[in-house]
Amino acid sequence: MPDFYDATTHAGLQRYFDSGATRSFEWRREQLRGLDAFLHEREAAIAEAVHADLGKPVAETWLTETGYLCTEIRYALRNLRRWMRPKRVGVPLHYQFARAFVEREPVGVALIIGAWNYPLQLCLAPLIGALAGGNCALLKPSELAPATSALLASELGRYVDPQAIRIVEGDGELSARLLEHRFDHIFFTGSRRTGQAVMQAAARHLTPVTLELGGKCPVIVTEQADLRVAARRIVWAKFLNAGQTCVSPDYLLVHHAVEERLLALMKEALATFYGPDPKLSPHYGRIVDERNFHRVKALQHEGSLVTGGGAELSSCCIEPTIVRNVPADSDLMSEEVFGPVLPVRAFSSFDEVAGLVASMPDPLALYLFSRDRSERRELMRRIRSGTVCCNDLLFQASIPGLPFGGRGMSGMGRYHGKAGFDTFTSERSVLCRSGFPDPDLRYPPYTACRFGLLKRIVTFFS
Ligand code: NDP
């Protein structure tokens, strides 16, 4: 696979798409099966590469990368024929004889820019949608996960059609240069700031974009929550991949009556998951690079420490850290944490909760822990977000039938399952009429009598 991308390579992808080779059901099915084979046959190499990039435990890589992707592929393969089928639409009587339907056309050549925190998933999950949609695609993995990027670049072409799928390796500058080309769709995962640059570049060619951005995702625990379950699940979700997950709970709002108990249970869960010294635990991930290490470390000492607080530069490890009494205007509460530090604030009313969340950009995910359905409904009604998960975390992103994406500052567009297919196809309305009948009524000259009759017919049958 080439490690460069120029006008000739771009034209090659465009020509291949124009040849129609990628449109058939069989081609799409072959590509999805190829991707599945890549994930199965190279599972060990993938786990090794992701571990080299992020210190991710093998089980986590399977759960959040390979296993997750295989489920998405199986779902796409099961449903592809149905998704591709044109949908018939009713035609009013006065337009008969006619057939109307909506079909989904491949968009063409898509650019997929992935982020490093789930280096395989964030490149290949959009690719599943692109392949199911019958497209060519150019993939640009993140340079911050070099081992996974290299594996994709060297191996993927053996499993999927290399004329349709290309991978380029390089840094953000390379991505910026890629954006000078005209693509038919740009699918970007990353930070808000880069997302804005991507959208600006796309505007030059009027290219549609999907932006999967980050944001501050609140987890809210009410008095009615099962505290033991909440504690275990919050700790697991927050410290998975060392907190470097876009849908990770960014801050915790807990009813003051249950704050002490919840924090005690969370400390207990932490000790059970990662032992007395998480730095030594093979089940705990690492911070991706020194820049992020220093950024997150600076956040560790805002508010008062509940647990954690340690950090070790040589292993890029930041201990799972929980802090409380964090001021609303602190860095920890205003920026996306994207690391293993969890700020906690106690609340006494839902007004307070809704006001605090509304003062920040719309979150990608909202997490609610309460056994009381009316409480959950009220919070869902009052707080906007891209996705919601009640009494658990993260798994809303693992259900292929649930579209995934943000709103407002946390992004635009959706993928996963059918939503991915829809993103990489464009809806085309088609009307096919017969030559008969062909009454004079619609044609000039429009006499008063003809026009009156035309109006009556159209109004009657509409
Ligand atoms: P960045 O925005 O820095 O990078 C994302 C991707 O864009 C990388 O491939 C990067 O390349 C590339 N890139 C960098 N500069 C440019 C540019 N000028 N033009 C085009 N592409 C560019 O994101 P982060 O690395 O900071 O990733 C973390 C962010 O991503 C967090 O905010 C997180 O919440 C969000 N995210 C969102 C997800 C979602 O599904 N909504 C999922 C995962 C993360 P390179 O890395 O090689 O420099």
Side-chain angles (χ1 to χ4, degrees):
M1 295 229 172
D3 58 354
F4 60 90
Y5 195 77
D6 56 17
T8 321
T9 321
H10 190 64
L13 274 182
Q14 192 65 59
R15 253 196 320 277
Y16 194 63
F17 176 74
D18 291 341
S19 75
T22 64
R23 287 184 171 247
S24 71
F25 168 76
E26 288 72 22
W27 183 89
R28 302 181 196 202
R29 188 180 53 191
E30 268 325 288
Q31 305 316 306
L32 291 171
R33 285 179 176 166
L35 209 51
D36 193 52
F38 166 70
L39 295 168
H40 280 105
E41 288 172 24
R42 310 299 292 149
E43 188 180 334
I46 291 169
E48 216 172 282
V50 177
H51 187 266
D53 289 332
L54 290 155
K56 231 186 243 192
V58 175
E60 254 183 46
T61 299
W62 185 84
L63 191 67
T64 61
E65 309 254 14
T66 23
Y68 161 78
L69 287 164
C70 289
T71 307
E72 275 280 319
I73 292 171
R74 273 197 301 278
Y75 186 79
L77 281 169
R78 260 203 314 277
N79 292 287
L80 184 57
R81 218 181 259 286
R82 191 167 52 81
W83 295 344
M84 288 176 69
R85 213 171 283 145
K87 305 274 175 300
R88 281 290 285 271
V89 170
V91 178
L93 214 58
H94 53 285
Y95 292 125
Q96 294 296 355
F97 299 102
R99 228 161 39 87
F101 55 91
V102 178
E103 63 176 19
R104 301 214 65 107
E105 275 215 304
V107 291
V109 180
L111 170 64
I112 297 171
I113 300 177
W116 50 264
N117 57 331
Y118 288 89
L120 193 78
Q121 191 214 115
L122 297 175
C123 282
L124 298 191
L127 184 65
I128 294 170
L131 292 173
N135 299 284
C136 291
L138 175 69
L139 251 63
K140 168 27 199 116
S142 170
E143 61 156 350
L144 297 188
T148 313
S149 172
L151 180 75
L152 280 170
S154 65
E155 297 289 318
L156 194 62
R158 298 189 193 153
Y159 295 87
V160 293
D161 185 346
Q163 296 200 76
I165 309 304
R166 304 226 169 195
I167 295 166
V168 276
E169 291 193 83
D171 56 9
E173 222 171 276
L174 171 85
S175 298
R177 274 192 285 125
L178 293 178
L179 291 169
E180 288 165 14
H181 296 280
R182 191 196 173 289
F183 288 90
D184 297 299
H185 192 93
I186 298 172
F187 192 105
F188 170 82
T189 304
S191 65
R192 194 171 295 158
R193 193 175 40 78
T194 315
Q196 285 167 334
V198 167
M199 202 166 168
Q200 247 169 16
R204 277 203 299 274
H205 300 293
L206 283 182
T207 302
V209 290
T210 302
L211 300 179
E212 297 290 342
L213 311 178
K216 291 192 82 64
C217 306
V219 50
I220 299 164
V221 180
T222 77
E223 271 182 293
Q224 305 304 323
D226 179 331
L227 294 182
R228 199 181 127 70
V229 169
R232 280 156 56 91
R233 293 184 178 180
I234 293 169
V235 165
W236 171 76
K238 175 65 195 179
F239 300 110
L240 181 89
N241 201 23
Q244 302 163 112
T245 303
C246 58
V247 280
S248 164
D250 192 274
Y251 59 102
L252 165 62
L253 302 177
V254 52
H255 192 278
H256 68 84
V258 292
E259 184 188 12
E260 292 302 334
R261 175 90 186 113
L262 181 73
L263 291 178
L265 287 166
M266 286 171 72
K267 279 172 76 171
E268 222 177 279
L270 263 173
T272 314
F273 295 172
Y274 306 118
D277 187 355
K279 287 197 290 296
L280 304 177
S281 168
H283 309 295
Y284 184 60
R286 296 292 177 262
I287 302 297
V288 67
D289 62 6
E290 282 194 18
R291 187 179 66 81
N292 278 287
F293 175 88
H294 292 299
R295 180 185 62 78
V296 180
K297 189 169 178 293
L299 298 173
Q300 261 183 321
H301 301 289
E302 290 188 346
S304 41
L305 196 63
V306 175
T307 185
E312 184 182 81
L313 180 59
S314 60
S315 58
C316 254
C317 180
I318 291 199
E319 264 179 31
T321 300
I322 301 175
V323 287
R324 67 199 292 193
N325 306 321
V326 183
D329 59 357
S330 61
D331 285 348
L332 204 42
M333 285 304 289
S334 25
E335 292 296 322
E336 180 187 9
V337 177
F338 214 59
V341 182
L342 181 67
V344 181
R345 282 174 64 93
F347 69 83
S348 30
S349 74
F350 285 178
D351 284 343
E352 213 182 307
V353 170
L356 182 75
V357 181
S359 69
M360 298 184 222
D362 289 341
L364 188 56
L366 166 65
Y367 299 115
L368 305 174
F369 278 88
S370 170
R371 281 176 291 205
D372 181 340
R373 184 193 258 208
S374 62
E375 274 193 347
R376 298 198 305 260
R377 280 198 181 284
E378 183 182 347
L379 287 165
M380 277 166 70
R381 187 177 52 75
R382 297 182 65 172
I383 300 173
R384 304 192 306 189
S385 65
T387 61
V388 178
C389 187
C390 297
N391 296 320
D392 209 336
L393 308 93
L394 311 188
F395 285 110
Q396 80 279 15
S398 312
I399 313 289
L402 282 179
F404 179 80
R407 63 174 288 168
M409 299 293 257
S410 56
M412 60 180 71
R414 293 284 179 272
Y415 74 136
H416 294 188
K418 168 89 163 41
F421 173 84
D422 287 346
T423 289
F424 288 98
T425 50
S426 68
E427 209 170 47
R428 179 154 78 165
S429 301
V430 182
L431 176 70
C432 294
R433 300 198 71 194
S434 82
F436 174 83
D438 189 29
D440 291 340
L441 278 182
R442 66 188 255 186
Y443 300 113
Y446 303 113
T447 63
C449 168
R450 274 191 191 180
F451 179 48
L453 187 56
L454 183 71
K455 245 173 126 177
R456 276 204 296 282
I457 292 174
V458 172
T459 315
F460 184 77
F461 288 118
S462 300

